[in-house]
Every structure is written in C-alpha cells, then in structure tokens.
Amino acid sequence: MVRLGLLRQLTIVAIMWMCGFSAYASASYRVAIEEDDIVTRVLFDSISQRFDVDIVYVYYPSFNDILTAVETGQSDFAANVTYTAERAQRFDYSRPTNIEYTYLYSFTNATLETIKKVGIPKGTIYSELIKEYYPSIIQVEYRGHQHARQLLESREVDGIVDAINQLKPMLLAGLDAQLLNNQISIQPVALISTKNKFQAQIEQFEVHLHSASVQKSLRALVKESGIDRSRPIKVKIEHAAPYATYLSNGQVRGVTADVLYSACDILMLNCQLVSKADETWEEMYADFLAQKVDIISPLAESEPRRQFAYFSVPYYQSTAIMVKREGYKHNVYSNASELIIERIGVVKDDFYQELLQGLLPQRTFITYRNAQQQIEALLAKEVDYVIIPRASYNKILRESNALLPLVEDKLIGDVHTSDITIGFAKNAYGNALVPLFDRAIKMLDLEKITNSYYQQPDWKATLQSEQQLARKSIAIVVLGLVVSVLMSLYLHHQSNTDNLTRLKNRRALQRRYRKGIQPNVTLVYLDVNKFKPINDTYGHEIGDQVLKHIAKQILRYWDGQSYRIGGDEFILIGAVDNIALSYALLNLQKMMFTSSDTDISLKVSIAFGVSKPRKELRSLEDVMHQADLSMYSNKRQAAQHDIDEVNPPIAHEFHLS
C-alpha cells in the first residue's frame, strides 16, 4: 500500500511536469543582482510569469558579494555565473543558459593588445582568462562598479573588463566598449542556487530558459524588438506640476521628465522632446491621437483610452480633489456626484473631464487650457468648483505671492486616484516600445524621483503664502525713532494675537514652530461642530461670544500654548501626559454657553483631532496634517443629531455632534 501511494504521488508529479505546471507555484524567491543587470531581469521575469512565482530582486554592489549572498542563503538564486569545479562545491548549477557578453571599457577605445593595466571584477573568471591569453597585462581587482569607475577616472588602469549589464552606464558616461567574446574564450553562464536547496526548481527553470522565446529576447534586448535606436522617438510632455516644468534654459524637470528620460537612457533610445511649455493638453492629445508623436505623458490609464493608446506600467499615482472658494457652501456636499447645480471647471480633454462626465452625465463643464486658468476662473467666480490634481493645487498655492482664498472640499474628499503612465501610439511601433519601457521603468527608483518633486504645502497653504507686514520707515529724529519702536512693538503684538479671542493667531503659531514640533509634544486640532447654523440663526454677535467662551475654556483646561488659526478652528500644543490630555478634551468636547445679555443658551460640541508624541522632530505642517486627518476621521464617526430648541422662548439649546 505504501508503494502504491508513493507511485501515485510520483505519477501526479510527472503529469504536472508534462502539462507544464510547477510544483512551486505561488512561491517567492530572492534573486541576487547587480544594478542595471538587464539580463538577469529578463531571465527571472520570464521565470516569474512561466511558473507563477514571486521574484524579489536583492541588489549587491559586486559580483563577489552576489556569490557570497547565494552561498550563505541570503539570496536563493543568481544568474550569469560561469561554471568552475571550485564553485560547484558551493552552489547548485543549471546547465548553461546564455552567453555572457563581455566588454573592455575605456576612455581611449583601447583593446587588449594595446593596454598595460586592466581592472578585473573580484571573484570572476576574467582574471584567469586574461592571464592565459594576455599574460603581460597587469591586473587590478576592483569591487563594485563605483570602484571600477574610480580606477578608470584616476587612470590607475587603461581599461576595465565587465559584462553587458554595464554597457549602458559606461556608454552614457562617455566610455568606449570593445566586445571581448571573439578575443578570449568566455564560457557560457548558468543559474546558481544555494547548495542542496533548490535542485528541483533549477532543473525546471533551465528547461524554460532554453526555449526559443527566452533565447530570442536575450539576444536582442532592444535591437531585435523591431526598434531602430537611431530613429528619433517623438515625445510630448505636459507642462504641469509635478510632472514637468519647462525651464528657461530649455531643460524640463519633473517626475514624468525624469522617468521618461531615464528610461530612454537605459534603453539607449533617441527620445526627442517636441512639445513646448505653452502647448495645451488639448493640442498635445490631438497630435497623439493623430499619431504625429510616438509618446505622450503623463497619461492616466483608463478603459476608454485603450482604443487610442498603449500604456506602460504606472510610475506615479495622482489624486484628484475638488477645490472651491473659501467659505463657499461649507459641509454641503459629501460626494462629487452631488454637484449637479454647481459650475465646474475642467481642463479640456483631460482625464478628469472624462471622469466627471461619468459621475455627472449630461452636464456641461466649463473648459480651460490648464490648471492655472482653472484657479484664476475660480477666483473670478466664473465657476464654483474645479477638479484638479492635489499636487498641482499644492504647487500653485506654494508659488503664489498672495494668500489665495481657496480650500479643498474635504467633506467630498479624494475624488479619484489615477495610475499615471507613459502613453504610446496605438500602432506596431508603439506596441514594440511598451515592453522595453516597462522593463526600464522597473529598474528606476520611482520613490526617490517622486519624493524629489512632491512637497507638502503648509496647512491650507496659508502659513507659507502670507506676506510679511509692511516695513516701517526709520524716523529721522529721536522722537520719531521712539514712536516707530513703540509702534513696531504694538504691531508685533497685534500681528500675533487674535483680535476676538485674544489667543495667539496662526502667524504666531508659524513663527514659534517654524523649526518643527519636538518629539514629546502633543498637538490638538479643534473645530466647532455646525458653527455656521449658530451664526445663521442667532447672528455673528452670538457666534463671536461662543468663540470667546471657547477660548476661555481652552485657557482654563489646557496647560500649553493655544492658537485660533481662523474661523472656528483652534490649535493646542503642549507637552502633556495622557491624563492631562484626556481631562482637557473631556471638558472641551462639549460645553454649555449662555449669552450674558440675551436669553440664549446653547450646548456646543467640538470635534478634535490629536497628533500624539512621535519618534522624531517633525515639521509643523506634517503634525497639523496628521491632527487634521484624525479630526475629520473622528468627525465622520461621530453621531449626527438635529438642532433642538430647549425651553422656548427663554432658552435655546444646540445639540451638535
């Protein structure tokens, strides 16, 4: 019975093998790799797709480090390793998988016949081969590509030997490359794995890697894909933050520009920018649809666009928000699809116009050339809302010389998050470009590129955009000087104090914490729930009295700094423990207000958000943003109650939550 059971299991495994199913599906393997090693990526990307396994690339600075990592089990596999008897004691080998194209890199187009000193990567077989064929050449071992470049630039060697994975960076750095495969006997290379651990897998992998499709892709990563590297590839990039900014010196900087140009460099393609700073998206997109250009970006991926374009893998995510004038219909809408009576501005033929047409069918939108025109129209009251990427909105606020009375409608929240890609013309040439750019984009440090261009704005974009007070003229006489000093002191006090509550204002908040919030400090953001109905029902005089009453309660229960930063919003900052924090919030969350000169009595409710102590110094903007998110989360979770009148007409009570 035991033998029959074993025979049955072996039969199942054999059937799986014959049918092409892997017994290792859904596994995850670590592959040791050097930077820019396109060959290893081609091999293991293909393995990942064929056997449905996850491949995690682990980068090492040198080939010797790769061997050590696989030997010690830090990584599971590596590629492009030549067989030697000594290495066979340390690793399991596949049969040869491919040819290792090897080059001599130099500044002088040198050959092995003309050089005297050569750099050799440590731990490789190149040392023995050079010694065998060119014994007079002095060898200098290097560890990693940075060390190799140092040897070349310092002229310590006449050239260095390395594999094809360094062809692109070396050529871009201005070096020459001489292929060595026809000069020295470079043996085929294979996969290796940690000894006695992945024998079954490595046998499966080598069978797949010997297939015609894999071998074809290895022999022509670019050229045999139907791409002529000398042909100019026409590119259009939209002038919009953070994707691209056209500088006066002709350069273009931004997330899209960096990603696209870096990919073109990796692939050694002749990408030429044919767009201009003042060109509208509508014009660019029309040229792309007419296939007058090969590439357009940034392009949000969507199903309707698939009939006109091919998409690369995403390199960025863009979030759309609804922006309105400050004070306009506060907390009225909770979803963009509710804006049926509002005038909305969009960029013509932009993805967000397409998006809103789906959310608000049969609506007519007011179109503009770009985001800047949208904002100008909103300020001029031509429209009531605009849909705009948050990154573009933040940049406009940061760069404004004046305090713009605009706000994101946070009750509506994020309208849509889009995958941003490189778009390719819907033709054979575009189809050939897509897999090449996908491979190149995966090699980029996208997080680093994105972070270099994305800057969080100051809270509501007001802390950075406020203008300085007008400078005072220096008095000519002593009396004038004294008056000027006294006036300056008075204005300084006034400029840092809220006239209504006598708490400090947001300018004082910015000045005090311009260097950041200490790790041990707690920040609390307070917002009076449904404050607008109080003003609307009882007038601004009662509303002002409510705000002054809240300020008194803050001074009573909060042991720290307190600020009114605008309207019904307050910021509390202090080094308090959890007990003191809970005590303050318990007393401030709900309070009773009674007017001193009328018979009006109101129960006032306050929403709060807390940013507790953190591990490191953080900017004021980051901490306020964290508290802001906490407050809105608490506010949405709180129960909503109607406003009830209590003991009319003598007393009135607001139940606000």
Side-chain angles (χ1 to χ4, degrees):
M1 293 294 292
V2 173
R3 290 182 178 177
L4 287 174
L6 178 60
L7 180 60
R8 184 180 294 109
Q9 292 180 19
L10 292 174
T11 302
I12 292 173
V13 171
I15 293 173
M16 291 175 65
W17 178 273
M18 292 173 65
C19 296
F21 294 104
S22 172
Y24 310 99
S26 301
S28 177
Y29 299 118
R30 295 162 298 176
V31 175
I33 186 174
E34 289 183 275
E35 187 178 3
D36 293 325
D37 188 349
I38 301 178
V39 174
T40 295
R41 277 187 168 274
V42 169
L43 294 173
F44 278 94
D45 283 354
S46 176
I47 288 171
S48 175
Q49 294 178 2
R50 171 63 181 82
F51 296 100
D52 190 25
V53 296
D54 293 328
I55 299 298
V56 178
Y57 293 105
V58 184
Y59 292 90
Y60 293 93
S62 70
F63 180 78
N64 197 54
D65 291 329
I66 288 176
L67 297 182
T68 301
V70 177
E71 183 176 14
T72 59
Q74 296 178 22
S75 290
D76 303 318
F77 294 95
N80 304 324
V81 181
T82 304
Y83 178 89
T84 67
E86 184 274 330
R87 290 175 180 171
Q89 301 298 317
R90 302 159 57 195
F91 310 105
D92 287 328
Y93 269 87
S94 71
R95 287 181 295 163
T97 56
N98 56 283
I99 296 295
E100 176 81 314
Y101 290 104
T102 304
Y103 294 84
L104 175 66
Y105 300 104
S106 69
F107 286 107
T108 58
N109 203 26
T111 65
L112 291 177
E113 287 80 8
T114 61
I115 64 173
K116 296 180 179 179
K117 268 190 177 183
V118 67
I120 302 294
K122 184 177 181 180
T124 65
I125 64 165
Y126 298 137
S127 177
E128 295 179 8
L129 292 174
I130 298 293
K131 185 176 182 180
E132 178 183 353
Y133 287 90
Y134 297 91
S136 63
I137 297 178
I138 300 172
Q139 298 185 21
V140 178
E141 282 192 334
Y142 65 81
R143 187 185 183 94
H145 305 311
Q146 291 292 338
H147 188 197
R149 290 286 294 276
Q150 291 173 5
L151 292 176
L152 281 170
E153 291 170 356
S154 64
R155 299 299 191 268
E156 294 181 50
V157 295
D158 304 311
I160 63 121
V161 173
D162 210 337
I164 191 174
N165 62 300
Q166 283 302 297
L167 182 61
K168 182 269 302 183
M170 289 297 187
L171 293 179
L172 291 177
L175 280 86
D176 300 311
Q178 288 285 338
L179 184 66
L180 298 183
N181 290 64
N182 57 351
Q183 299 182 48
I184 55 179
S185 180
I186 298 175
Q187 301 176 24
V189 291
L191 304 187
I192 62 169
S193 64
T194 307
K195 191 71 175 178
N196 299 324
K197 194 172 181 181
F198 302 107
Q199 294 99 325
Q201 291 93 324
I202 210 165
E203 289 177 6
Q204 280 188 308
F205 293 167
E206 73 177 27
V207 171
H208 170 63
L209 296 181
H210 289 166
S211 66
S213 61
V214 176
Q215 291 299 308
K216 183 177 180 180
S217 64
L218 286 171
R219 282 168 171 74
L221 293 174
V222 174
K223 188 174 182 180
E224 291 185 13
S225 299
I227 303 301
D228 180 2
R229 281 178 285 174
S230 64
R231 169 186 165 176
I233 298 177
K234 296 180 180 180
V235 175
K236 288 205 171 188
I237 301 176
E238 183 183 13
H239 178 51
Y243 307 113
T245 300
Y246 286 69
L247 306 179
S248 57
N249 61 5
Q251 293 184 340
V252 182
R253 301 296 309 279
V255 175
T256 294
D258 284 12
V259 169
L260 207 155
Y261 287 149
S262 296
C264 291
D265 287 343
I266 289 173
L267 299 170
M268 292 179 285
L269 297 174
N270 182 17
C271 296
Q272 293 186 1
L273 185 69
V274 295
S275 54
K276 299 179 181 178
D278 58 353
E279 193 170 354
T280 68
W281 174 255
E282 179 187 9
E283 294 167 340
M284 290 185 182
Y285 196 55
D287 284 348
F288 177 71
L289 295 180
Q291 298 191 3
K292 295 180 180 179
V293 293
D294 303 303
I295 288 177
I296 190 171
S297 196
L299 188 65
E301 185 174 358
S302 69
E303 282 302 320
R305 287 179 171 175
R306 290 189 182 280
Q307 58 183 314
F308 307 115
Y310 294 117
F311 299 98
S312 72
V313 293
Y315 61 83
Y316 184 77
Q317 281 197 325
S318 175
T319 299
I321 59 174
M322 301 303 302
V323 177
K324 62 180 181 178
R325 290 180 297 280
E326 197 168 23
Y328 182 78
K329 293 189 178 181
H330 182 58
N331 285 353
V332 173
Y333 304 108
S334 60
N335 193 289
S337 61
E338 299 172 0
L339 302 176
I340 57 175
I341 62 172
E342 304 297 339
R343 299 170 300 168
I344 302 176
V346 299
V347 173
K348 185 172 177 58
D349 290 337
D350 182 65
F351 170 75
Y352 297 135
Q353 180 181 4
E354 176 185 311
L355 174 68
L356 286 185
Q357 284 173 341
L359 295 175
L360 298 164
Q362 300 179 344
R363 279 295 313 276
T364 300
F365 303 103
I366 303 173
T367 60
Y368 298 95
R369 291 167 57 92
N370 51 47
Q372 185 64 47
Q373 284 193 358
Q374 284 180 284
I375 294 297
E376 292 171 357
L378 187 58
L379 292 171
K381 299 185 179 182
E382 295 176 10
V383 293
D384 306 310
Y385 279 88
V386 297
I387 184 169
I388 189 172
R390 179 177 280 116
S392 298
Y393 173 60
N394 290 342
K395 184 174 186 294
I396 290 171
L397 293 178
R398 283 197 311 270
E399 295 179 351
S400 174
N401 294 323
L403 176 61
L404 299 181
L406 301 176
V407 292
E408 172 188 347
D409 195 321
K410 293 193 175 181
L411 189 59
I412 293 179
D414 296 347
V415 179
H416 186 77
T417 298
S418 310
D419 285 333
I420 302 301
T421 71
I422 297 173
F424 301 88
K426 192 82 171 186
N427 53 34
Y429 190 61
N431 190 38
L433 287 173
V434 172
L436 300 178
F437 275 83
D438 283 352
R439 187 179 300 140
I441 291 172
K442 290 176 182 178
M443 297 175 65
L444 301 177
D445 189 344
L446 296 178
E447 183 177 1
K448 181 179 179 181
I449 293 173
T450 300
N451 290 341
S452 65
Y453 291 104
Y454 182 75
Q455 302 176 32
Q456 283 278 10
D458 288 334
W459 189 75
K460 288 190 177 180
T462 60
L463 299 180
Q464 283 186 345
S465 62
E466 287 193 287
Q467 295 179 328
Q468 297 293 332
L469 292 173
R471 297 177 180 178
K472 299 298 177 180
S473 299
I474 300 176
I476 299 177
V477 296
V478 175
L479 180 61
L481 179 61
V482 172
V483 172
S484 177
V485 170
L486 292 176
M487 183 62 70
S488 296
L489 292 174
Y490 172 76
L491 290 176
H492 176 77
H493 174 75
Q494 289 295 102
S495 68
N496 288 274
T497 304
D498 177 53
N499 292 330
L500 178 64
T501 63
R502 308 313 298 170
L503 297 178
K504 294 177 183 177
N505 61 17
R506 65 185 176 194
R507 182 182 286 107
L509 174 68
Q510 178 194 18
R511 288 177 174 171
R512 174 151 188 167
Y513 297 102
R514 62 183 179 273
K515 294 183 179 179
I517 300 290
Q518 293 297 326
N520 64 327
V521 170
T522 295
L523 184 146
V524 181
Y525 170 69
L526 302 179
D527 185 2
V528 182
N529 287 325
K530 297 184 180 178
F531 182 68
K532 189 174 184 294
I534 297 177
N535 279 333
D536 292 346
T537 305
Y538 300 104
H540 288 281
E541 182 178 351
I542 295 299
D544 289 348
Q545 290 183 24
V546 170
L547 294 175
K548 288 193 282 188
H549 177 71
I550 293 172
K552 290 180 181 179
Q553 298 305 303
I554 289 173
L555 293 175
R556 179 180 179 184
Y557 293 110
W558 179 252
D559 184 17
Q561 301 294 320
S562 51
Y563 304 83
R564 180 189 176 211
I565 59 173
D568 57 345
E569 300 162 335
F570 300 84
I571 292 292
L572 313 182
I573 299 180
V576 297
D577 56 27
N578 287 334
I579 296 176
L581 175 63
S582 299
Y583 175 73
L585 294 179
L586 181 64
N587 286 279
L588 294 176
Q589 190 174 2
K590 292 183 182 296
M591 62 182 68
M592 198 69 189
F593 164 77
T594 302
S595 175
S596 59
D597 51 4
T598 67
D599 294 330
I600 296 175
S601 179
L602 306 174
K603 183 181 289 184
V604 180
S605 163
I606 298 179
F608 65 86
V610 179
S611 174
K612 291 188 175 181
R614 55 217 62 81
K615 295 182 180 179
E616 58 187 9
L617 180 75
R618 297 284 297 276
S619 71
L620 172 63
E621 295 78 14
D622 285 347
V623 177
M624 289 181 70
H625 181 63
Q626 183 182 7
D628 193 18
L629 294 177
S630 172
M631 187 275 295
Y632 277 105
S633 176
N634 293 337
K635 200 166 187 177
R636 289 192 181 103
Q637 294 174 8
Q640 299 295 316
H641 300 290
D642 294 329
I643 302 173
D644 298 324
E645 294 186 356
V646 178
N647 300 322
I650 297 175
H652 304 270
E653 185 175 278
F654 266 54
H655 295 280
L656 304 176
S657 58

